[in-house]
Amino acid sequence: MCVYLQESEFRSPVGRSKNMSSAPLSSVDGTDRLCVSERAQCIPSPVLHLRQLPADISEQEVVALALPFGRVSKLITLRTKNQAFLEMASEEAAVTMVNYYASAPPTIRNQPVFIQYSNHRELKTDNLTNQRAQVALQAIGGAAVHSGNMASGDGRGLVAAPCAVLRIIVENLFYPVTLEVLQQIFSKFGSVLKIITFTRNNQFQALLQFSDAVHAQHAKASLDGQNIYNGCCTLRIDFSKLSALNVKYNNDKSRDFTRADLPTGELEPAATAFGVALPPYGAAFPPTFHQHTGLPVAAVPGSLVSPPRVALQVALPAVHSVLLVSNLDPERVSPYCLFILFGVYGDVQRVKILFNKKENALVQMSDATQAQLAMSHLNGQRLHGNVIRVTLSKHPVVQLPRGAAGQEEQTLTQDFSGSSLHRFKKPGSKNFNNIFPPSATLHLSNIPSSVSEEILKDLFSTRGFSVKAFKFFQKDRKMALLQLASVEEAIEALIGLHDHQLDHNQHLRVSFSKSTI
C-alpha cells in the first residue's frame, strides 16, 4: 500500500538523476541536490520521504512520528524545503508506518504531513553530522534511537519511545473541560480505553490510555499545543511514565470504557464534572452536546465573549445560567456574601436565599458559561465550615419578590445587575485571564502608595485570619500576594475584604492566585 500524491506537488529546481533509485541519498551532496522531486513511490523502501513539514519542525517531532513503528536508523532534514528523509531499521517497519498513516494522515501543529516511500534504499550521512548525532543520542541515553545517525542543523536529541498513556494538562481553563470532552476529542485518533481526571497545582489534568502507542503518538503530535476552544483551554500533552491505568470507578472523574460493570464510587455530587452537568454513567448525552464543523458557534445570550471558533470541534452544552447552592450555614450566609464569592467567576445578576430552606440559595450568573465556570471551581469548597454543593438549577432566572412579599423574603433576594463590582462587564478585561480555583494565596490589587505591608497584614490579622506570607510585586507595588493558613480562610477573607476602602477613593480588590509565596 502506498500514499498516492499528485505529481504537481513535487517541483525540483534541478534535473532528476537517472540512477536515483539505486544511489544512496547523501547529506554531503548539498541540500539543493537532495531528492526534493521524489515522485509518488509505491515500491516499499526502508527510506521514507516526508513533505509539508512546519518550517520550524524539530528532529524530535519528525522521529516521534516513526518511533511507534520501530527503530530509526538515520535522518536528514531539509528545513528550507519543509521536507525530511527518514531511514527505518527495517523495510517492514517502514511499510507498517506508511500503511498506518495512509488511513490516518498525521498532522503536526495542525498541519497535515505527507509520507511516502523514497526511491532511495538508504541514507548516507557525513562523519560530522554522525558525530553530532552520537553526542545527541548519548545525551538522552539512546532510548529512542539505537545506532542512529541524524543529519540536522542543530543536533538536538530525540524524545524517548512513547507509550499508550498520555498525560494531559489544560491551561487557560476558561470553558469547562470534562471527561466526555476529552474522550470526544481523543477518540478521533484511536480507541480510548481509560481516562482519569484530577486537579493538581491548580490545573485541570488527565491521564488517558489508548489501545496502543501508535494512536497515542498520533494524538500527541496532532493535539499538543492546540486550543479546545478559541484562545483558551490549551492542551499540553506528554507521554506518561505509566504503562497502563488502573480505574476503580466509572463516574465523572474516571472511566474505564472496557468495564461497564465498575461501581460509581462515593463521588458527590455525581451529576457534575468540572463544571458541566453530566447524565448518569451510560446514559446518552443530551442532543445539544454534538460535534461542529469548526465554524463559529452561536453565542450564549449575554455572553461576555464573542462566539468562539471551536478549535477541536467541541460544543459547550446549552444550560441555564442559574446555580443551586446547598449546604450553606443559614446563620452566616447572605446574598452579598454569595455575590462576592461567585463574582470571582462571573458577573452575578441576582441571589435568592430560599425562604423555607435557608441552607439553599439560587445564584443567577450573566450567562451559562459563567455559571459552569463558577460551579467547576466552587463545588465542594468549604464556606463558613460547611462543604457547599453547587449544581445547575432547573430555573432559567431568579424571580424577584412580588410587592406582597414580606420584609424578610425581600431581604433574602437581591438584584445585583447594576453593581459596580462586576469584574467582567468590560469586554477584553484582563480579569478573563486571571480566573483560578480558590487557593490559600490571595492576589491584592488597587493598593494605594500610602498603604504599607504592615497595614495590609494587620487588616487581615485583625479580622481573625492567619497571615503566613506577604510579598509586594517588584515592578508594581499596587499589587501584592498574601498567603493565609488555608483555602477556607482565603475564601472568607476574600468575601470580607474585597472592596474594602483603603483610603478616601481607593478600594482593595481581592482575587485568588495560582502562585505561592
Side-chain angles (χ1 to χ4, degrees):
M1 187 174 181
C2 155
V3 182
Y4 288 93
L5 302 171
Q6 294 184 1
E7 187 172 331
S8 61
E9 291 179 317
F10 296 97
R11 294 193 178 126
S12 174
V14 296
R16 184 174 172 83
S17 170
K18 294 181 180 180
N19 299 322
M20 188 71 76
S21 60
S22 60
L25 182 61
S26 172
S27 64
V28 299
D29 295 333
T31 58
D32 289 340
R33 295 182 55 197
L34 289 175
C35 188
V36 178
S37 60
E38 289 268 350
R39 295 179 181 272
Q41 174 64 267
C42 293
I43 301 175
S45 167
V47 178
L48 300 178
H49 180 208
L50 287 69
R51 296 190 307 109
Q52 202 168 311
L53 300 170
D56 60 343
I57 193 169
S58 66
E59 283 78 10
Q60 291 97 321
E61 292 173 296
V62 175
V63 176
L65 292 174
L67 283 179
F69 305 95
R71 180 164 55 89
V72 178
S73 297
K74 302 172 186 176
L75 173 67
I76 297 176
T77 56
L78 309 177
R79 286 193 178 84
T80 58
K81 302 182 184 301
N82 304 105
Q83 301 185 33
F85 289 87
L86 183 150
E87 182 179 335
M88 302 297 291
S90 67
E91 185 175 297
E92 181 183 3
V95 170
T96 303
M97 178 174 170
V98 170
N99 289 347
Y100 176 80
Y101 286 133
S103 59
T107 60
I108 295 180
R109 295 195 289 282
N110 214 29
Q111 181 170 322
V113 175
F114 297 94
I115 302 175
Q116 67 178 56
Y117 299 118
S118 171
N119 286 343
H120 299 279
R121 299 292 302 175
E122 63 175 309
L123 298 179
K124 180 181 178 182
T125 58
D126 66 327
N127 292 333
L128 179 61
T129 53
N130 184 47
Q131 291 173 5
R132 290 202 304 265
Q134 293 305 318
V135 172
L137 292 174
Q138 290 174 8
I140 61 170
V145 183
H146 304 280
S147 302
N149 301 302
M150 298 180 59
S152 64
D154 52 16
R156 284 176 288 185
L158 303 178
V159 296
C163 66
V165 180
L166 297 177
R167 182 176 70 106
I168 304 160
I169 298 176
V170 183
E171 296 179 347
N172 194 16
L173 188 72
F174 186 76
Y175 293 103
V177 175
T178 68
L179 183 149
E180 273 76 10
V181 167
L182 294 176
Q183 195 273 341
Q184 180 182 348
I185 294 170
F186 283 81
S187 62
K188 296 177 182 179
F189 299 90
S191 178
V192 176
L193 302 184
K194 305 172 185 178
I195 302 177
I196 298 174
T197 65
F198 54 95
T199 300
R200 178 175 295 170
N201 298 328
N202 290 333
Q203 288 182 312
F204 177 70
Q205 302 188 30
L207 294 172
L208 184 146
Q209 181 180 342
F210 277 100
S211 57
D212 59 55
V214 173
H215 296 151
Q217 168 57 36
H218 190 192
K220 180 182 182 301
S222 300
L223 298 177
D224 186 29
Q226 296 293 314
N227 294 329
I228 298 177
Y229 302 105
N230 188 44
C232 64
C233 300
T234 306
L235 294 172
R236 303 298 181 193
I237 306 173
D238 290 306
F239 291 108
S240 171
K241 296 180 180 179
L242 301 174
S243 59
L245 299 180
N246 181 24
V247 175
K248 297 181 179 179
Y249 304 112
N250 281 337
N251 51 41
D252 54 0
K253 299 296 184 185
S254 62
R255 190 74 50 83
D256 186 337
F257 296 97
T258 68
R259 293 280 308 278
D261 60 320
L262 290 179
T264 59
E266 301 298 325
L267 188 64
E268 295 182 0
T272 63
F274 215 78
V276 173
L278 299 177
Y281 174 68
F285 228 87
T288 52
F289 192 89
H290 60 282
Q291 296 182 2
H292 279 247
T293 60
L295 298 175
V297 298
V300 179
S303 176
L304 294 175
V305 296
S306 60
R309 183 174 295 277
V310 184
L312 296 179
Q313 302 181 357
V314 178
L316 286 172
V319 294
H320 292 313
S321 59
V322 178
L323 298 170
L324 172 63
V325 188
S326 57
N327 201 36
L328 296 166
D329 183 348
E331 302 299 324
R332 302 181 63 183
V333 72
S334 68
Y336 181 80
C337 157
L338 296 176
F339 164 69
I340 294 296
L341 178 57
F342 281 76
V344 174
Y345 303 104
D347 292 337
V348 177
Q349 302 300 301
R350 296 175 180 176
V351 179
K352 180 184 185 73
I353 296 177
L354 303 188
F355 181 74
N356 294 322
K357 295 182 179 180
K358 293 185 175 62
E359 68 277 7
N360 298 319
L362 297 175
V363 178
Q364 181 179 337
M365 310 296 291
S366 287
D367 59 46
T369 298
Q370 293 182 2
Q372 293 172 353
L373 195 62
M375 180 170 62
S376 70
H377 288 311
L378 294 178
N379 179 47
Q381 296 293 339
R382 191 175 292 274
L383 175 63
H384 301 144
N386 293 356
V387 176
I388 63 173
R389 300 303 181 197
V390 184
T391 58
L392 293 170
S393 170
K394 63 181 180 181
H395 299 285
V397 296
V398 172
Q399 298 289 347
L400 295 175
R402 299 178 180 179
Q407 179 64 35
E408 183 181 4
E409 187 175 352
Q410 291 186 357
T411 303
L412 293 175
T413 304
Q414 292 189 24
D415 187 345
F416 297 98
S417 58
S419 174
S420 61
L421 296 182
H422 285 164
R423 298 176 187 248
F424 307 99
K425 59 184 177 182
K426 182 180 179 181
S429 169
K430 62 182 180 180
N431 290 333
F432 287 112
N433 299 323
N434 294 289
I435 299 174
F436 305 110
S439 66
T441 304
L442 296 175
H443 180 274
L444 312 181
S445 60
N446 203 38
I447 302 172
S449 57
S450 59
V451 175
S452 66
E453 174 180 339
E454 291 304 318
I455 292 176
L456 289 171
K457 290 167 68 174
D458 288 344
L459 175 64
F460 283 81
S461 60
T462 54
R463 299 291 184 98
F465 303 117
S466 302
V467 178
K468 298 298 182 182
F470 181 94
K471 182 176 70 173
F472 270 116
F473 281 50
Q474 290 184 351
K475 296 183 179 180
D476 188 356
R477 290 181 63 86
K478 295 180 181 178
M479 296 188 291
L481 295 178
L482 183 140
Q483 187 172 327
L484 298 178
S486 66
V487 175
E488 182 180 2
E489 270 200 15
I491 290 175
E492 298 200 23
L494 182 144
I495 293 172
L497 291 171
H498 178 66
D499 197 44
H500 177 82
Q501 186 171 352
L502 293 176
D503 66 10
H504 64 284
N505 62 356
Q506 285 186 266
H507 292 72
L508 183 65
R509 297 289 179 256
V510 185
S511 58
F512 297 115
S513 173
K514 67 176 180 179
S515 305
T516 56
I517 305 175

